[in-house]
Amino acid sequence: MLRTLNIENIAVIEKAEIEFNNGLNVLTGETGAGKSIVVDSINAILGERTSKELVRHGAEYAFVSALFTDVNPEIEKRLEELGYSCDEGDLLLYRRISAEGKSSCKINGRAATVSVLKEIGHLLVSIHGQHDSQALLNPDYHFRYIDMLSENKAVYNEYKAEFSELIKIRRQLRILTESEDSKDKDIELLEYQIKEIENADIKPGETEALTKRKKLIDSSEAMLKAYNNALAMLNGDDEINGVILSLNTANSEIGEFNDNSDAAEIISSIDKAVDSLEAAKLMLSSAILSLDFDENEREQIEERLDLLFKLKKKYGESEEEILAFLDSAKEKLDLIMYDDKKLEELNALYDSAYEKTVALAAKLSAERKKTASKFEAAVKEQLEFLDMPKIQFIVNFAQGNLSSTGYDKVEFLISTNVGEPSKPLAKIASGGELSRIMLAIKNVIAANDTIGTLIFDEIDTGVSGRASRKIGLKLKSVSKSTQVITVTHSAQIASVADEHFLIQKDFDESRTYTHIKPLDYDGRRQELARIMGGLNITDAMLASADELLNTDK
């Protein structure tokens, strides 16, 4: 659910922070105070299209952030698929809009695109208003409401598994069928590729090993010279004594005084030094022998590296990728070389899987129709309570092509007047009617819905005080299982809120400012009285406000 909303430099709101409650949150205020701007800000953080006109005049940027808590596990799973994660169920969305219209977004501190923000936003929040009931207007979403209420989830899961198997077989058939059209050409190419890679006898990591060996050869001449110089210094020659001989001579001379304790200690130290130098001689000799490279080795290494470079340009950026390409080419060749019998077997498997999938689609459809019947009745009951008794609500089924969700094309139809034919919601329902229909649906599916926050923008438009009271009660009912935020002009709705926010507009000599503050009991009764009676608040209006606030909800 939406826990905290921070707004900065959005239209007349310079800076505001709203701490929403778990249940029913209501926003009220005078016309033009900025209630719609709060909804616009929420739309912005949910990835909806924005304009630079949203940025407060004179500001360099606008900023919105929203903290969501207790995020549904299904949403967490989708976040992980997109490369993001929740922080123990918490999710922070951030969006910054510059005065030039450029936008930057973050999800839990990591950069994100607006499209990803929008996808996640639609999973977190559902907004319904005069012009915003997209989920209800789009028939592609309607089957989901039915599936939420289904008592037999196993049917859907069984269908999805069988459909997945059908697609897998169809993919194999497509590869096989397409290969038949250009079989000879593909076989020739694959055989060439396989032969070229196999003849190269590639080993993982050999480019790195050969490169190191080449560097060693390239530096061997200088190293050999240094090693020989060091060996010469140790051994000496006809003209000069080497270090070892010089030290041995020194020891002989000092040995004449070995009865002296200092001389004995010096001799011992020189003997140790000679031993170390003798060991160094052996190491130098071994190193010199190891640098005795074959004259052709460097050329062979260069030829091998050149071959590997050419193969990498064709088949992959590393030895591992080239070998993976080889395995894939062999697999493709085996598939292309299937004989007619194998093709028949694959077709038989497809036919069998198709029959099973169609049968399960029919079973799923029957389950949905059974659920839809209960759904229709429950929604009609809700609509009657919301003073919409004449609206006929129908879940219409048509059969379409098989897909991952079955073959049902589900669409909600309504008839607003007795005797009129039912038509799609989008064609005949007004904004206020759509909001109330969605409220009815949400009451029916509340316990099964994965969306944690519902927003209703002026759901009371065009309804009477009696109907408003009923809408308020239904909003309260939904808010027991799903957080609800609503913008309203109705005292009847505002009176049942768990948290009531007042949006006020103030002025100074040059600017307009909007402030948002939570109301205590006294503040609520003053605001309800204002909504009911305008600027001149009387004792009778305050008494009516008290009555609304204290009436059983």
Side-chain angles (χ1 to χ4, degrees), residues 175 179 190 325 327-337:
I175 294 172
S179 69
L190 287 168
F325 183 95
D327 291 339
S328 176
K330 288 179 177 179
E331 185 179 335
K332 288 178 182 178
L333 184 60
D334 287 343
L335 191 58
I336 291 174
M337 296 297 286

Side-chain angles (χ1 to χ4, degrees), residues 213-472:
R213 183 67 173 168
K214 181 175 175 293
K215 287 181 179 178
L216 181 62
I217 293 174
D218 289 341
S219 61
S220 62
E221 186 175 345
M223 291 175 65
L224 190 60
K225 182 178 179 181
Y227 288 170
N228 280 322
N229 285 340
L231 194 61
M233 290 178 186
L234 292 175
N235 288 331
D237 54 27
D238 294 338
E239 296 182 4
I240 59 172
N241 292 331
V243 173
I244 293 175
L245 180 59
S246 297
L247 287 174
N248 285 330
T249 301
N251 250 9
S252 296
E253 293 176 357
I254 296 171
E256 297 177 5
F257 310 99
N258 58 6
D259 56 341
N260 183 292
S261 59
D262 288 340
E265 188 174 348
I266 292 169
I267 291 170
S268 176
S269 295
I270 292 175
D271 283 341
K272 290 178 181 178
V274 170
D275 289 341
S276 296
L277 291 174
E278 289 288 354
K281 274 179 60 178
L282 292 174
M283 293 171 64
L284 282 168
S285 299
S286 177
I288 289 169
L289 289 174
S290 70
L291 292 175
D292 185 17
F293 297 108
D294 184 341
E295 293 181 2
N296 296 322
E297 186 179 359
R298 189 182 188 285
E299 183 178 345
Q300 292 170 353
I301 290 174
E302 286 187 340
E303 288 178 357
R304 182 63 176 174
L305 288 172
D306 184 57
L307 173 62
L308 291 171
F309 176 77
K310 290 176 180 177
L311 292 175
K312 286 177 182 180
K313 288 186 72 175
K314 287 184 179 182
Y315 306 119
E317 296 181 357
S318 65
E319 289 89 348
E320 289 81 3
E321 288 188 19
I322 295 173
L323 293 172
F325 183 95
L326 174 63
D327 291 339
S328 176
K330 288 179 177 179
E331 185 179 335
K332 288 178 182 178
L333 184 60
D334 287 343
L335 191 58
I336 291 174
M337 296 297 286
Y338 273 169
D339 55 19
D340 292 338
K341 183 179 178 181
K342 196 67 178 179
L343 181 60
E344 288 176 8
E345 290 176 358
L346 205 54
N347 273 313
L349 279 174
Y350 180 82
D351 290 341
S352 174
Y354 182 81
E355 287 180 9
K356 289 180 183 177
T357 305
V358 170
L360 285 170
K363 187 177 178 182
L364 176 60
S365 182
E367 179 66 28
R368 281 176 174 159
K369 287 173 181 174
K370 184 170 66 175
T371 304
S373 179
K374 298 177 183 177
F375 180 72
E376 279 182 1
V379 172
K380 286 177 184 176
E381 183 180 343
Q382 295 289 332
L383 290 173
E384 286 179 8
F385 181 85
L386 292 170
D387 279 2
M388 300 175 75
K390 293 182 181 179
I391 286 187
Q392 295 300 307
F393 180 84
I394 297 169
V395 181
N396 184 64
F397 280 80
Q399 186 170 324
N401 296 325
L402 283 176
S403 72
S404 59
T405 59
Y407 61 42
D408 290 319
K409 295 175 69 176
V410 179
E411 184 171 13
F412 297 158
L413 308 178
I414 64 168
S415 171
T416 54
N417 295 297
V418 177
E420 290 186 1
S422 300
K423 294 181 181 179
L425 284 171
K427 293 185 178 180
I428 56 176
S430 67
E433 287 172 332
L434 282 172
S435 293
R436 278 183 282 168
I437 292 169
M438 178 53 81
L439 177 57
I441 290 173
K442 290 295 182 179
N443 263 282
V444 173
I445 65 171
N448 303 80
D449 200 354
T450 58
I451 289 181
T453 301
L454 293 175
I455 297 177
F456 291 94
D457 187 10
E458 299 187 5
I459 191 175
D460 53 289
T461 300
V463 299
S464 66
R466 178 175 178 274
S468 291
R469 183 66 178 178
K470 290 185 174 183
I471 290 172

Side-chain angles (χ1 to χ4, degrees), residues 56-86:
R56 181 176 171 83
H57 178 69
E60 295 181 1
Y61 66 90
F63 163 87
V64 187
S65 71
L67 174 64
F68 292 86
T69 59
D70 300 322
V71 174
N72 188 281
E74 290 185 23
I75 299 174
E76 287 196 49
K77 183 179 178 182
R78 181 57 185 150
L79 274 167
E80 289 175 3
E81 292 171 354
L82 293 168
Y84 299 90
S85 61
C86 279

